[in-house]
Amino acid sequence: MTAPESPREGQTDSAALADKVAIVTGGASGLGRAMALALGKAGARVIVADLDAQAGREVADLVGGTFRACDVSDLDANRALVDFAQQQYGGVDIALLNAGVATGCGVGDDFDPARYRRAMGANLDGVVYGTHAVLPALRARGGGSIVATSSLAGLTAVPLDPLYAANKHAVVGLARSLGPALAPDNVRFNAVCPGFAESRIIDSLRDMLTAQGLPVIPAEVVADTVLRILTGDGTGECWFVQPGREPEPFRFRTVPGPGRPAAA
């Protein structure tokens, strides 16, 4: 698999997702809920993973799927989640590693180690642990697809929340690196990078967004982009989602190579 060009426009081939077994972390609300609903509509068998059992079960019921409580910041919990999916459905084809939280602190006087670890645990460890846990199951199926939820904060500087930017940049780095690294196993790894999208993470920002006239991206738009990624052929891509623009992979500039030393 050589990461050919992904489809940019047109209808998602939802039929390709029918009967696929998909894990969605953070699936009880926001973007994860929208992803689970979109997968269920496409005919996939969905495991909704979250810490919110009541809301998670409600989403699972809506899609005819199954709920599993999971703290993605715990490696053993991720392994147990994959084991559960295999026992319930015989394998795993898709992992949407979407769980995430707001940071709630910076690196100055407001630094809070507990908040920092919570954010890194959900936003970065959850992707690393989730990938590690699900890879054997995907390989056993002959391949599969992982999509991690990053953010536009993973593609640009965010001076007001540098720690959130740091863990989301890390997810982008994983996607760009694991895409080619996992290609020999027929496992595709991509990231979705929405701007201000409908989720709990923007709750504290809503008044500011409204005051500045900034639109909030519907969660369904992000979910549709994820389905496009899943039904495409690309790997190692980081798809941005912004209001008024067609979602597509971000075009990273080539890193400068070694050159001749400057003349004296």
Side-chain angles (χ1 to χ4, degrees), residues 189-238:
F189 192 111
N190 295 286
V192 63
C193 303
F196 295 114
E198 188 58 55
S199 68
R200 291 176 179 173
I201 287 179
I202 69 162
D203 283 348
S204 64
L205 304 173
R206 289 182 188 278
D207 291 344
M208 180 271 289
L209 296 176
T210 300
Q212 296 188 14
L214 296 174
V216 175
I217 303 164
E220 293 75 15
V221 173
V222 180
D224 181 66
T225 302
V226 170
L227 262 59
R228 289 176 60 184
I229 296 171
L230 290 173
T231 57
D233 296 315
T235 191
E237 295 180 337
C238 300

Side-chain angles (χ1 to χ4, degrees), residues 56-238:
R57 289 193 179 96
E58 290 173 357
V59 175
D61 289 343
L62 287 172
V63 300
T66 309
F67 172 75
R68 174 76 178 189
C70 180
D71 177 356
V72 299
S73 68
D74 181 274
L75 177 56
D76 288 338
N78 282 274
R79 289 171 171 159
L81 172 62
V82 174
D83 288 345
F84 174 80
Q86 291 179 301
Q87 292 166 10
Q88 291 290 311
Y89 298 106
V92 180
D93 303 292
I94 295 166
L96 302 187
L97 306 179
N98 164 77
V101 297
T103 306
C105 71
V107 298
D109 293 339
D110 63 339
F111 181 66
D112 183 331
R115 288 180 178 270
Y116 167 70
R117 280 309 323 154
R118 177 174 180 267
M120 298 302 282
N123 299 353
L124 178 55
D125 294 347
V127 175
V128 174
Y129 291 164
T131 299
H132 172 75
V134 81
L135 273 177
L138 297 180
R139 288 170 175 148
R141 299 280 257 198
S145 185
I146 301 171
V147 179
T149 299
S150 180
S151 165
L152 208 67
L155 300 174
T156 188
V158 187
L160 294 178
D161 198 343
L163 294 177
Y164 187 77
N167 55 55
K168 293 304 184 178
H169 270 73
V171 172
V172 165
L174 280 170
R176 298 182 69 193
S177 303
L178 286 176
L182 298 177
D185 293 326
N186 201 34
V187 174
R188 297 190 303 119
F189 192 111
N190 295 286
V192 63
C193 303
F196 295 114
E198 188 58 55
S199 68
R200 291 176 179 173
I201 287 179
I202 69 162
D203 283 348
S204 64
L205 304 173
R206 289 182 188 278
D207 291 344
M208 180 271 289
L209 296 176
T210 300
Q212 296 188 14
L214 296 174
V216 175
I217 303 164
E220 293 75 15
V221 173
V222 180
D224 181 66
T225 302
V226 170
L227 262 59
R228 289 176 60 184
I229 296 171
L230 290 173
T231 57
D233 296 315
T235 191
E237 295 180 337
C238 300

